[in-house]
Amino acid sequence: MPAELSWGPGVWRAGELGGSCLQALDTGYTALNVVLPGGGWPQGALVEVLQAQVGQHEWGLVAPALAGLQATAPGKLLVLAGAPCQPFGPALGARQLDMSRLLSVQSAQGDAPALLWATREALQCADVAAVLAWLPDVRSAHLRRLQIAAHAHNKLLFVFRPPRAQQESSPAPLRLLLEGVNQEGGNLRVHVLKRRGPPLSAPLLLETRPARLTALLAASRERARLKREETSPLFLQANVHALLDRIAHLDPH
């Protein structure tokens, strides 16, 4: 066996971050693009997203890419299958999403097969650019069919599931776990559980809030800080000393 092998462009070594034979869509977050094979969301593949509280973090994660997708394919739809709550138009509009090109599909409570059917049908539709499906109890075999459909029709597909699914096998080439945080550097911690490449040593911290909201929150924190300082004993004592100094320098005449 030769000491060194000549690796062709189609050969991936497990110790390296893989490239992608699929088109990659910019996630809108530079730090996330850097750790994803191909430099973005894989179009034509299943992206599995695990989170404890449905409806809380997923839009912040995927909205930049979906807005970019709408801009490049203005005539196509974004399909939501089994969304946990009705999309709030003003909030999504603030993220540059066109609500007129968004279609939400619901089923009777507990009718998971209907949602799976709707998801597969949407993936096969030429007028659909991306599909987001909330499938908490989907089985690995069903995920495999969705992965095949997304690949066959070159669709961007996100499937949202609870964290307990982390213990189950999945055909998704990319799996993420989301955690909400409240830190100066961001509000969403992203764990990359599975990718074509070596394990990621640490999670990513992303600021997924719209710029205007981030600025408003920063201003609110600053007002609260100033208010705390104004009512602190040290601040009051300094004010008293300053007042006494001014009185001492007054002309007695």
Side-chain angles (χ1 to χ4, degrees), residues 120-133:
R120 287 197 301 270
E121 289 296 306
L123 290 171
Q124 298 174 43
C125 181
D127 291 329
V128 172
V131 180
L132 285 71

Side-chain angles (χ1 to χ4, degrees), residues 28-29 60 63-64 90-96 184 187 206-221:
Y29 303 104
L92 295 185
R95 297 182 184 276
Q96 310 305 313
E184 289 295 330
N187 67 305
L206 303 180
E207 178 56 79
T208 67
R209 291 169 291 213
R212 185 178 179 185
L213 177 58
T214 300
L216 289 172
L217 291 173
S220 177
R221 288 194 297 268

Side-chain angles (χ1 to χ4, degrees), residues 187-232:
N187 67 305
L188 184 64
R189 186 177 291 121
V190 181
H191 300 261
V192 181
L193 303 178
K194 179 183 176 183
R195 63 175 181 169
R196 193 183 184 196
L200 197 61
S201 59
L204 302 175
L205 184 63
L206 303 180
E207 178 56 79
T208 67
R209 291 169 291 213
R212 185 178 179 185
L213 177 58
T214 300
L216 289 172
L217 291 173
S220 177
R221 288 194 297 268
E222 181 63 15
R223 286 195 299 269
R225 184 187 67 81
L226 292 174
K227 186 175 181 180
R228 288 195 302 270
E229 287 185 355
E230 290 173 357
T231 57
S232 69

Side-chain angles (χ1 to χ4, degrees), residues 140-224:
S140 180
H142 296 142
L143 287 176
R144 187 169 294 106
R145 296 189 187 103
L146 294 181
Q147 160 67 11
I148 292 172
H151 181 72
H153 300 281
N154 195 36
K155 292 294 193 303
L156 183 63
L157 170 63
F158 293 96
V159 172
F160 303 100
R161 305 181 69 197
R164 67 174 183 272
Q166 185 176 348
Q167 308 305 321
E168 303 171 9
S169 63
S170 171
L174 180 61
R175 298 184 91 189
L176 307 176
L177 173 66
L178 308 184
E179 290 181 325
V181 295
N182 186 19
Q183 296 182 13
E184 289 295 330
N187 67 305
L188 184 64
R189 186 177 291 121
V190 181
H191 300 261
V192 181
L193 303 178
K194 179 183 176 183
R195 63 175 181 169
R196 193 183 184 196
L200 197 61
S201 59
L204 302 175
L205 184 63
L206 303 180
E207 178 56 79
T208 67
R209 291 169 291 213
R212 185 178 179 185
L213 177 58
T214 300
L216 289 172
L217 291 173
S220 177
R221 288 194 297 268
E222 181 63 15
R223 286 195 299 269

Side-chain angles (χ1 to χ4, degrees), residues 93-110:
R95 297 182 184 276
Q96 310 305 313
L97 285 170
D98 182 0
M99 294 296 293
S100 68
R101 306 306 301 169
L102 191 150
L103 176 65
S104 183
V105 179
Q106 295 292 341
S107 68
Q109 186 174 3

